[in-house]
Amino acid sequence: MTDRRLFAPLDVVREIWTHLDLPLAALSSLSIPGADSAAGPIRPTVPSSFKIGHLAQSTIALSALSAATAHSVLRGSTQSPGPSSLALSSSLGGIPQVTVPLRHAVLEFHCERLYTLAGNPPAETWGPVGGLHPTADGHVRIHDAFPHQRRGALALLGLPETCTDRSAVSERTRMWKAVELETVAVEQKGLAIYALRSFAEWDALPQAQALADLPVNLRRIDMPSTSSPQNPSRRIIEGPSTRPNQKCLSGLRVLEFSRVIAAPVAGKTLAAHGADVLWVTSPHLPDLPGLDREFARGKRSVRLDLDDPADKARFLELARDADVVIQGYRPGSLAARGLSAEELAAVNPGIVVANLSAFGPRGDWKDRRGFDSPVQACSGINVAEAERYGSGDVSRALPCQALDHGAGYLLAAGICAAVYHREKDRAEGRHVGAYVVDVSLAGVGKYLRSLGQYDGRSGFEGEDLSVIAGYGERSEDEQAFFDTRQTPFGEMTFLRHSARVEGLEPGWDRMPVPLGSDEAVWTDA
């Protein structure tokens, strides 16, 4: 693992920007106020031994700057290929200034906790039996946000599905060894129950070695196509002069198939930059009000059952005219339904397929189900956090879902990088291929770990930038972080996007609606 302990946020941006093969000149358009510099002291920003402030500011900056850079070629997509369009699409002088202040970025990593709806705080997300439980030789973390996961965990432990008694759950987990319970739960039952591990225990696993060194990866797929290389299977995105309220990604069509936090963050971010995001959810999964109200913002909502032939055909029809498909399930989930990246590229040779998974596309665990909290537990982060805190606890969770949020912004950045490369090829008259973007929660955790930890307890004793007064008690400066709009659920006060793009300001025009409220069609709006 690369040692990045001396990295400042700008170093993170520069490293990943270079890895995505984006134009280095664009970095001069980025401003990140409040960031640590490589030459100065590195300060904690939230109560954690890990550098969550670095991760927040750098990943949000990457998503916004990559959107602005994609805009530099998208705005030329109505040009005929040739020297003039090449000059337009490759010129970087027109990239607008992008600004991501540190405190606002840190707050955005907590956004699902900060909104109010009809005067009330967010609904509780976690179930009654999830969290850390003892085993015969250690501990496991149970994830029970969805009712079917809770029922499955209780059934495996021999408890009634109505059980809400955590002590009863702990009595049953003590009958198991941690890794044995994890193996049966994950590999046989499809649950998200993971053993608590130290860094040393995690590093000994082949899966730890299978993770890429960098947390977002991009590859191209070239499919045989009879389509013109300038415009394979998609309409041209309209130039900026043809649309009011133009944003960086106006006209981009995004089909998002996801739930919970990480992949929805990516879709919500693209929507903030103007993309038309159609959020597809399964009719078999329930509404999660505490999360869905936050991460549905900016999107239209439809429900499709991909195991139903008619709904699958509709999904393929939408994918045929999409620029991007985001999927936040296990890597093999869509492929098992005939919707792999290669199969989607066959019907849309210019598509960008973005995968958000728990453990990445390689290794023995690549098909495992997982979420932020279990990944923190099984990869050593929680044990390392507890050791630095020094209270004697065996585990301490990060103060926010940092892996989820970081992964979502990195996925958005990878998508924008793919769009940039695709549209640059189009403008220069080259064959236009499809792209695959891969981000995993474990990969983001590996990168966060590589940034190092603060010495001793110092990470828990600095300024906490996530602290903000409650609704109705905020200062004028704090109120500036928020916006208030009407929704079908009542008045919503929510955190504005922390990135600013000069002349192309991000923001959400659509407010959350009940799942399945919209038609499964693309719009021109």
Side-chain angles (χ1 to χ4, degrees):
M1 183 170 62
T2 302
D3 184 351
R4 301 180 177 89
R5 286 176 292 177
L6 297 181
F7 269 32
L10 187 58
D11 298 313
V12 175
V13 172
R14 186 180 292 110
E15 179 180 49
I16 295 175
W17 193 260
T18 303
H19 174 64
L20 293 173
D21 196 25
L22 292 167
L24 293 179
L27 293 172
S28 63
S29 293
L30 178 63
S31 173
I32 46 175
D36 293 321
S37 69
I42 297 177
R43 304 160 299 153
T45 56
V46 295
S48 174
S49 66
F50 291 94
K51 296 170 185 173
I52 293 173
H54 281 44
L55 186 69
Q57 191 174 31
S58 61
T59 56
I60 295 172
L62 280 161
S63 68
L65 186 62
S66 61
T69 303
H71 175 73
S72 74
V73 289
L74 287 171
R75 67 184 179 181
S77 63
T78 55
Q79 303 283 327
S80 298
S84 62
S85 73
L86 173 59
L88 176 61
S89 65
S90 61
S91 171
L92 298 173
I95 291 183
Q97 184 72 21
V98 174
T99 304
V100 181
L102 175 61
R103 189 188 182 198
H104 200 163
V106 168
L107 288 171
E108 196 153 19
F109 261 42
H110 298 74
C111 64
E112 70 273 16
R113 306 177 187 176
L114 297 178
Y115 74 86
T116 58
L117 191 59
N120 298 311
E124 178 57 55
T125 299
W126 312 116
V129 301
L132 199 69
H133 292 274
T135 63
D137 61 346
H139 294 79
V140 292
R141 178 169 286 278
I142 297 175
H143 192 274
D144 71 337
F146 284 110
H148 71 280
Q149 294 167 346
R150 180 165 59 255
R151 291 193 297 268
L154 292 170
L156 176 59
L157 296 171
L159 293 169
E161 66 177 37
T162 56
C163 177
T164 59
D165 184 350
R166 287 183 55 82
S167 63
V169 173
S170 292
E171 284 182 16
R172 297 303 177 95
T173 58
R174 283 192 181 94
M175 299 176 183
W176 293 75
K177 291 185 177 181
V179 173
E180 291 178 357
L181 179 54
E182 171 189 275
T183 301
V184 172
V186 176
E187 296 185 0
Q188 297 181 22
K189 303 298 183 180
L191 303 171
I193 301 176
Y194 282 89
L196 181 71
R197 292 178 174 85
S198 66
F199 279 152
E201 291 168 327
W202 170 250
D203 291 344
L205 296 179
Q207 186 58 41
Q209 310 310 313
L211 295 173
D213 186 51
L214 290 167
V216 52
N217 290 280
L218 188 64
R219 64 182 174 92
R220 176 174 165 140
I221 301 174
D222 286 308
M223 302 295 293
S225 174
T226 58
S227 302
S228 161
Q230 286 79 42
N231 185 24
S233 303
R234 70 180 289 277
R235 82 273 176 256
I236 295 291
I237 294 174
E238 296 181 29
S241 62
T242 64
R243 291 177 178 272
N245 303 317
Q246 181 76 7
K247 298 184 176 112
C248 290
L249 303 179
S250 292
L252 198 77
R253 289 177 173 174
V254 178
L255 191 60
E256 177 193 330
F257 191 62
S258 73
R259 289 303 299 272
V260 196
I261 297 178
V265 165
K268 178 186 159 195
T269 302
L270 299 176
H273 290 289
D276 179 11
V277 180
L278 195 57
W279 186 27
V280 181
T281 58
S282 168
H284 304 300
L285 292 178
D287 185 16
L288 295 176
L291 298 178
D292 292 346
R293 303 299 176 263
E294 173 63 29
F295 297 112
R297 196 158 57 251
K299 309 171 187 179
R300 293 181 294 123
S301 173
V302 301
R303 285 190 140 169
L304 295 176
D305 179 359
L306 297 189
D307 292 322
D308 177 86
D311 279 4
K312 179 184 172 182
R314 189 73 191 112
F315 184 89
L316 274 171
E317 184 180 344
L318 291 166
R320 186 174 290 109
D321 291 324
D323 293 286
V324 178
V325 170
I326 295 173
Q327 76 91 17
Y329 297 91
R330 292 172 297 157
S333 181
L334 288 187
R337 294 167 170 83
L339 299 170
S340 67
E342 289 74 15
E343 287 162 316
L344 291 172
V347 300
N348 184 346
I351 201 165
V352 176
V353 179
N355 301 310
L356 196 296
S357 63
F359 298 103
R362 292 180 296 277
D364 294 342
W365 288 22
K366 64 182 176 62
D367 292 322
R368 283 191 168 197
R369 179 178 280 107
F371 302 87
D372 182 308
S373 297
V375 171
Q376 286 186 40
C378 74
S379 64
I381 288 175
N382 290 166
V383 170
E385 184 85 320
E387 289 172 348
R388 288 296 171 95
Y389 190 68
S391 67
D393 291 334
V394 296
S395 173
R396 184 177 177 86
L398 296 179
C400 62
Q401 303 297 105
L403 308 188
D404 271 335
H405 286 273
Y409 291 114
L410 287 168
L411 195 69
I415 290 166
C416 291
V419 170
Y420 169 82
H421 290 301
R422 183 190 71 186
E423 294 307 314
K424 192 166 182 289
D425 285 343
R426 189 192 312 279
E428 295 175 356
R430 293 194 295 266
H431 177 73
V432 175
Y435 284 88
V436 176
V437 184
D438 281 301
V439 174
S440 73
L441 300 176
V444 174
K446 178 177 180 177
Y447 195 85
L448 178 62
R449 177 184 171 187
S450 78
L451 296 174
Q453 292 173 268
Y454 297 109
D455 293 335
R457 282 183 52 90
S458 63
F460 303 96
E461 296 170 344
E463 182 181 10
D464 184 357
L465 298 185
S466 69
V467 173
I468 194 164
Y471 180 71
E473 301 174 353
R474 295 173 184 143
S475 68
E476 186 175 342
D477 287 345
E478 290 177 330
Q479 288 175 4
F481 290 127
F482 292 87
D483 195 3
T484 299
R485 300 278 293 276
Q486 288 295 328
T487 79
F489 310 102
E491 185 178 82
M492 185 175 193
T493 296
F494 55 88
L495 196 72
R496 297 175 186 269
H497 189 36
S498 56
R500 304 262 64 86
V501 181
E502 186 178 12
L504 297 161
E505 289 299 326
W508 296 283
D509 298 325
R510 293 180 178 273
M511 292 297 105
V513 295
L515 296 182
S517 292
D518 296 291
E519 294 185 40
V521 296
W522 293 115
T523 68
D524 294 326

